[in-house]
Amino acid sequence: MQNFMEIEGFIKFDIKFSTSPSGVIHSVFFVEHHSIRQENSLNRKAYCLINVVASGKDINQKVKNLVEGVKVKVCGFLTNKSLVNGSSRLVLHAENIEII
């Protein structure tokens, strides 16, 4: 099965860094996307705010240079994150981040 997403947008809010007990570096941030897409021959405004998680030393070397407002392209896979209140949130786990 395929699970791949690529999206462009702007870094929104501050990036939060943490290190797991096993020593893996994680960063969590949001990407805000705006575009106009064609749907059924009509223009449609597309908007989303995507929660992104980047794990590992290599990808976090790129993340450490990002600040709110920077335009990026993020590629990776989607998964659910369970929240404390029992609900879940769709999260993009970044495999590549590129400043554009």
Side-chain angles (χ1 to χ4, degrees):
M1 296 203 185
Q2 285 202 331
N3 181 350
F4 179 78
M5 181 176 178
E6 177 178 286
I7 193 159
E8 292 180 4
F10 296 92
I11 299 292
K12 187 79 174 174
F13 312 119
D14 289 333
I15 299 171
K16 295 182 176 137
F17 292 91
S18 64
T19 303
S20 72
S22 61
V24 177
I25 301 168
H26 301 283
S27 59
V28 177
F29 57 96
F30 288 86
V31 172
E32 185 176 48
H33 170 85
H34 293 270
S35 63
I36 301 208
R37 305 290 302 176
Q38 284 281 316
E39 182 178 41
N40 200 28
S41 300
L42 299 170
N43 285 340
R44 179 184 176 131
K45 291 181 182 179
Y47 170 81
C48 59
L49 186 62
I50 301 285
N51 189 190
V52 179
V53 173
S55 299
K57 181 180 167 187
D58 293 340
I59 196 157
N60 275 289
Q61 288 291 79
K62 295 178 182 180
V63 173
K64 72 178 184 179
N65 296 318
L66 301 178
V67 294
E68 185 173 3
V70 170
K71 189 173 183 184
V72 293
K73 177 166 64 173
V74 181
C75 305
F77 64 93
L78 296 171
T79 190
N80 273 327
K81 175 184 179 178
S82 297
L83 303 176
V84 176
N85 65 6
S87 64
S88 64
R89 176 186 298 162
L90 195 60
V91 175
L92 174 58
H93 280 259
E95 296 175 323
N96 189 42
I97 300 169
E98 180 181 327
I99 297 173
I100 52 175

